[in-house]
Amino acid sequence: MTTMLEPARNVPHDTRPEHGVVISRGLRVYLRTFTRPDLEHLATWVEDPFLERMVGSELLHAFKHDWDKGPGFHDAVMNDATQVVLMVEARGWPKAVGLVRLFNIHLLEGYAFLETIIADQRAIRRGFGVEAGKLISYYGVDVLGLRRVEAKVYEYNVLSMNSLKRNGFRQEGVLRQAGFDGTRYWDVFVFGILKHEIEAVRRRDKVYLPLDEDTEGNGV
């Protein structure tokens, strides 16, 4: 749904088609629209067994198994009103380090699910995923009018759990043995954050805002 992917006001962006449109900038990363050339990144990421075990992304699974890595996947994603998929670019890195998305978006009820994928293992533990999660959460509040964001994490993915906690998410429950890694079943932890808690993180961290009018002093 293209209306979800309009550029933020007063945020400089590269409008070349292969680079997409920048939606939001942080101190270390920026989020841009998902483009057809990004399917090459996805084609590499879906073959990474470490990424599959840690994330188990339904998006990547659909790209590989339902669409056979075909080009039509891009249009399917862009025309899906229930999700927003953005690429994560890090300053000084030659290509996208991952993606972040809001999915199962329920506009009437005001909630959605969050998925953050840092696919380049060299980019892990640099805070890129933490900042990308913040930026798309702000986007969800400011643009989509969300009041709640949820996330699910396998019990062994401690790094993702810590990232969510750093972004103000609270653990709300456990789905017992709801995950399967091909060998055994694992618990899945459920995290959630409300709009006022997202705003508290925004005030605390002063990360560049998707719709901020003042770009001065943010190193953009």
Side-chain angles (χ1 to χ4, degrees), residues 18 21 144 149 190 208:
E18 66 271 24
V21 176
L144 304 182
V149 178
V190 179
Y208 185 68

Side-chain angles (χ1 to χ4, degrees), residues 32-46:
R32 63 165 176 80
T33 51
F34 176 53
T35 67
R36 284 186 178 84
D38 290 322
L39 295 177
E40 296 182 9
H41 297 314
L42 267 61
T44 299
W45 298 345
V46 295

Side-chain angles (χ1 to χ4, degrees), residues 1-2 4 76-84 102 104-107 144:
M1 185 169 67
T2 55
M4 288 185 179
V77 169
M78 297 299 288
N79 290 317
D80 184 354
T82 68
Q83 67 174 326
V84 174
L102 295 171
N104 286 351
I105 297 171
H106 292 71
L107 292 179
L144 304 182

Side-chain angles (χ1 to χ4, degrees), residues 71-96:
F73 183 74
H74 174 266
D75 289 344
V77 169
M78 297 299 288
N79 290 317
D80 184 354
T82 68
Q83 67 174 326
V84 174
V85 178
L86 301 174
M87 302 300 291
V88 180
E89 299 274 1
R91 295 179 181 275
W93 291 69
K95 60 183 180 180

Side-chain angles (χ1 to χ4, degrees), residues 105-191:
I105 297 171
H106 292 71
L107 292 179
L108 182 62
E109 296 85 356
Y111 75 90
F113 289 84
L114 168 69
E115 179 176 70
T116 303
I117 301 174
I118 299 301
D120 189 333
Q121 293 193 32
R122 297 170 300 174
I124 294 175
R125 299 184 184 278
R126 295 175 180 264
F128 296 159
V130 174
E131 189 169 283
K134 290 175 184 174
L135 293 176
I136 200 168
S137 295
Y138 303 157
Y139 180 89
V141 169
D142 294 340
V143 179
L144 304 182
L146 299 183
R147 62 171 187 82
R148 173 181 170 81
V149 178
E150 302 177 27
K152 296 178 181 178
V153 185
Y154 294 129
E155 64 174 289
Y156 50 76
N157 192 346
V158 177
L159 183 62
S160 289
M161 283 190 277
N162 289 340
S163 295
L164 289 170
K165 291 175 182 177
R166 287 176 62 184
N167 279 345
F169 282 76
R170 299 183 184 182
Q171 184 179 334
E172 297 180 337
V174 179
L175 304 178
R176 296 180 298 163
Q177 297 187 12
F180 183 66
D181 66 358
T183 303
R184 57 164 289 188
Y185 292 95
W186 297 87
D187 291 345
V188 175
F189 292 176
V190 179
F191 287 82

Side-chain angles (χ1 to χ4, degrees), residues 10-96:
N10 295 331
V11 178
H13 60 266
D14 188 337
T15 57
R16 288 174 293 178
E18 66 271 24
H19 291 145
V21 176
V22 174
I23 300 299
S24 180
R25 292 184 186 268
L27 301 177
R28 288 167 293 184
V29 306
Y30 64 88
L31 307 182
R32 63 165 176 80
T33 51
F34 176 53
T35 67
R36 284 186 178 84
D38 290 322
L39 295 177
E40 296 182 9
H41 297 314
L42 267 61
T44 299
W45 298 345
V46 295
E47 301 301 333
D48 185 342
F50 175 79
L51 198 61
E52 169 63 23
R53 184 173 189 271
M54 298 304 288
V55 180
S57 172
E58 293 181 1
L59 179 78
L60 297 183
H61 184 276
F63 175 58
K64 180 178 181 178
H65 297 285
D66 298 340
W67 289 88
D68 196 25
K69 305 180 185 178
F73 183 74
H74 174 266
D75 289 344
V77 169
M78 297 299 288
N79 290 317
D80 184 354
T82 68
Q83 67 174 326
V84 174
V85 178
L86 301 174
M87 302 300 291
V88 180
E89 299 274 1
R91 295 179 181 275
W93 291 69
K95 60 183 180 180

